[in-house]
């Protein structure tokens, strides 16, 4: 048995975040405001160092690591990319509220309704679950690792693997913030022992 500290951080803001648009697979850069907010957070927060650094491969995640951890080498883990909203990408609630497919998607309790051209909530959860299990296996020999990804990704990891009494929406950190996870690594499995806000 060994312990592993895993830090999960959310990328900085994009224009889509500022305009409250659905943005998952659309590969936007950080906005001017997003960059400024990260630079300000970096002065206020003692961001953790880690042995290994990772991102989801999204431009907004890669630019975030460049601001918070200048010149650190990192690997991309594309399975941690945000939800694929398909035809709803880059649209606001006001654009979609009368769309039949959108209504079906937001009211679907089975989680199996697909965004047209995108994925269902069930598919997304399964993707994040499977990717996280593989990810932990790949980093289990390290003492610490850091991943910069997305609100939905982080929220899903914590809901699925730590505490499902809080929804993934409730677990989502604000931009540039995140969590420190303390994991116990056993031979063929792992357990998240504790979660603390960064």
């Amino acid at each position: 048995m060994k312990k592993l500290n895993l830090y999960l951080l959310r990328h900085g803001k994009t224009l889509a975040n500022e305009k409250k648009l659905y943005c998952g697979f659309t590969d936007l850069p950080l906005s001017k405001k997003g960059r400024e907010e990260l630079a300000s957070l970096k002065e206020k927060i003692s961001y953790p160092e880690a042995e290994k650094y990772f991102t989801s491969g999204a431009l907004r995640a890669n630019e975030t690591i460049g601001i918070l951890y200048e010149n650190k080498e990192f690997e991309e883990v594309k399975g941690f990319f945000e939800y694929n909203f398909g035809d709803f990408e880059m649209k606001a609630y006001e654009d979609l509220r009368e769309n039949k497919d959108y209504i079906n998607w937001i009211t679907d309790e089975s989680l199996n309704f697909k965004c047209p051209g995108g994925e269902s909530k069930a598919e997304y959860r399964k993707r994040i679950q499977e990717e996280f299990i593989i990810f932990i296996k790949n980093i289990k020999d390290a003492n610490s690792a850091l991943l910069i990804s997305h609100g939905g990704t982080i929220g899903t990891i914590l809901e699925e693997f730590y505490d499902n009494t809080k929804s993934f929406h409730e677990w989502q950190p604000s931009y540039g913030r995140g969590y420190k996870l303390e994991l116990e690594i056993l031979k063929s499995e792992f357990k998240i022992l504790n979660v603390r806000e960064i």
Side-chain angles (χ1 to χ4, degrees):
M1 181 189 79
K2 75 179 289 286
K3 298 284 177 67
L4 166 69
N5 289 331
L6 174 61
Y7 305 98
L8 302 179
L9 295 178
R10 187 178 186 180
H11 63 78
K13 276 184 191 161
T14 67
L15 283 175
N17 300 136
E18 291 176 30
K19 294 177 180 178
K20 294 183 165 50
L21 307 180
Y22 287 103
C23 177
F25 264 44
T26 306
D27 204 13
L28 294 184
L30 296 174
S31 64
K32 182 174 183 288
K33 184 178 180 182
R35 289 176 170 278
E36 289 170 352
E37 286 178 351
L38 287 175
S40 176
L41 280 172
K42 190 178 178 183
E43 290 181 6
K44 296 175 189 172
I45 297 171
S46 180
Y47 279 101
E49 296 288 321
E51 282 181 38
K52 296 184 175 184
Y53 295 85
F54 302 88
T55 74
S56 67
L59 182 57
R60 54 197 184 271
N62 290 350
E63 288 185 347
T64 297
I65 204 168
I67 292 170
L68 299 181
Y69 294 94
E70 295 174 49
N71 304 318
K72 292 283 187 189
E73 290 188 9
F74 63 91
E75 295 176 45
E76 296 181 352
V77 185
K78 304 222 178 211
F80 285 134
F81 224 96
E82 184 59 285
Y83 191 94
N84 184 352
F85 294 103
D87 293 352
F88 305 153
E89 287 274 339
M90 300 305 289
K91 293 189 170 99
Y93 170 75
E94 289 301 315
D95 303 321
L96 296 165
R97 62 194 177 102
E98 294 180 10
N99 180 307
K100 185 181 172 185
D101 286 329
Y102 178 72
I103 294 164
N104 287 334
W105 176 64
I106 60 172
T107 58
D108 171 40
E109 293 183 5
S110 74
L111 308 181
N112 290 314
F113 188 87
K114 280 192 181 193
C115 292
E119 61 190 329
S120 71
K121 293 169 190 171
E123 286 173 330
Y124 175 65
R125 285 186 185 205
K126 186 170 185 285
R127 168 162 69 82
I128 299 300
Q129 283 176 337
E130 290 175 350
E131 193 63 58
F132 191 67
I133 290 166
I134 293 167
F135 180 68
I136 297 300
K137 282 181 184 174
N138 288 339
I139 64 167
K140 67 181 182 180
D141 292 331
N143 292 314
S144 61
L146 184 142
L147 168 68
I148 295 181
S149 63
H150 310 269
T153 301
I154 294 168
T156 299
I157 289 168
L158 291 173
E159 182 187 12
E160 295 294 327
F161 292 96
Y162 183 63
D163 179 4
N164 63 9
T165 62
K166 283 173 70 171
S167 74
F168 84 100
H169 286 294
E170 294 173 294
W171 274 118
Q172 288 186 37
S174 56
Y175 300 98
R177 303 302 293 265
Y179 299 98
K180 174 187 177 183
L181 282 58
E182 294 179 18
L183 284 82
E184 181 179 78
I185 309 290
L186 305 170
K187 277 187 178 179
S188 58
E189 57 187 40
F190 64 87
K191 182 179 181 183
I192 300 173
L193 301 174
N194 187 38
V195 173
R196 184 167 56 82
E197 289 185 11
I198 295 171

